[in-house]
Amino acid sequence: MSQQIVEIDSYLLPVVEVVEETRDALTVVLSVPEELADQFDYKPGQFLTIAVPSDTHELAARCYSLSSSPHDGGPLRVTIKRTAEGYASNWIADNLKPGHHLRVLPPAGIFSPKDLDDDLLLFAGGSGVTPIMSITRTALSEGTGKIVVFYANRDEKSVIFRDEFNRLSVEHPDRLIVVHWLESVQGLPTQDQLKAFAAQYSTFDAFCCGPAPYMKSVSLALRELDFPRERRHQEKFVSLGGNPFGDGFSVDTAEYEVGAYDRDGA
């Protein structure tokens, strides 16, 4: 994702549900009015940029990947994990509730399969599973290829979408393989271990999202296996500079809009 800031139209979407996924991760479910359906048409693996009120004079604009599928007719879902120093993730977890609203930019990003019929090798680390889940859900629904997910977490309690992966595996036993790697049991996956795993799927298209060290190890493992560049994909967010929502959009506006409809009785 580029650091260049281009002002584009933003939209206020209602929060219809906040789902607790794990002890430190939640999914925010956003409803899209029918008249905005075209603006929020998206590809699996894309993200939303969200405006969050800040405790400083600067707006907190953060990018969160969509975990929903664009083909199931459901609402938008963004899955967010608290981070120790993450102002926005903690603000959302502590304050957001159904009936609130969020101002967002339309879906963006290129972390998406070109062909849903391709065989996919998907590496996820921690909350990096969010776009991986979107891709998995969509490819199983709309594609024909095989899907292998390697999902690394700190421990069993940290596994986001555990039940959903189990359900999908039961429904698609001939197409979906999900491998869980727990640091508490197996230690951190090494480059050699990742290489040995990926070697079984050398003809697949590979996608990776997670912490930087994890993504680096996966990238190096795939390079050693001579995965061509066009079949290696990584999702990487950078800090936003400035206010992508436009100079006229302030912290006060963001704070008001989040709960305005509650306060106004609407």
Side-chain angles (χ1 to χ4, degrees), residues 18-28 78-83 93 126-130 151-165 180 182:
V18 178
V19 180
E20 182 179 336
E21 302 287 357
T22 68
R23 60 194 172 194
D24 56 4
L26 55 88
T27 293
V28 178
V78 290
T79 302
I80 299 164
K81 183 177 181 180
R82 285 183 187 265
T83 56
S127 60
V129 73
T130 302
Y151 186 14
N153 277 284
R154 183 180 300 109
D155 52 41
E156 189 173 357
K157 292 181 179 179
S158 302
V159 180
I160 305 172
F161 304 130
R162 177 178 53 189
D163 292 344
E164 178 72 355
F165 274 127
H180 291 281
L182 302 179

Side-chain angles (χ1 to χ4, degrees), residues 46-125:
Q46 290 193 305
F47 62 86
L48 294 182
T49 303
I50 296 174
V52 177
S54 171
D55 57 357
T56 71
H57 67 283
E58 295 181 352
L59 181 72
R62 296 292 185 270
C63 300
Y64 295 111
S65 294
L66 289 152
S67 55
S68 50
S69 168
H71 295 289
D72 63 7
L76 298 180
R77 295 174 176 266
V78 290
T79 302
I80 299 164
K81 183 177 181 180
R82 285 183 187 265
T83 56
E85 303 300 325
Y87 175 85
S89 63
N90 282 283
W91 187 93
I92 289 171
D94 291 337
N95 295 280
L96 208 61
K97 62 182 181 180
H100 282 174
H101 290 69
L102 285 177
R103 182 163 291 279
V104 304
L105 298 181
I110 59 172
F111 187 70
S112 185
K114 292 181 179 179
D115 189 340
L116 292 174
D117 291 328
D118 287 341
D119 294 330
L120 303 175
L121 175 58
L122 310 178
F123 290 92

Side-chain angles (χ1 to χ4, degrees), residues 113 115-122 135-149 172-178 200-207:
D115 189 340
L116 292 174
D117 291 328
D118 287 341
D119 294 330
L120 303 175
L121 175 58
L122 310 178
I135 293 170
T136 300
R137 284 170 165 158
T138 307
L140 287 174
S141 171
E142 302 299 314
T144 59
K146 295 186 180 299
I147 303 162
V148 176
V149 179
H172 305 275
D174 57 334
R175 292 187 56 206
L176 177 63
I177 297 173
V178 180
Q200 306 169 77
Y201 310 102
S202 59
T203 61
F204 286 35
D205 275 17
F207 290 77

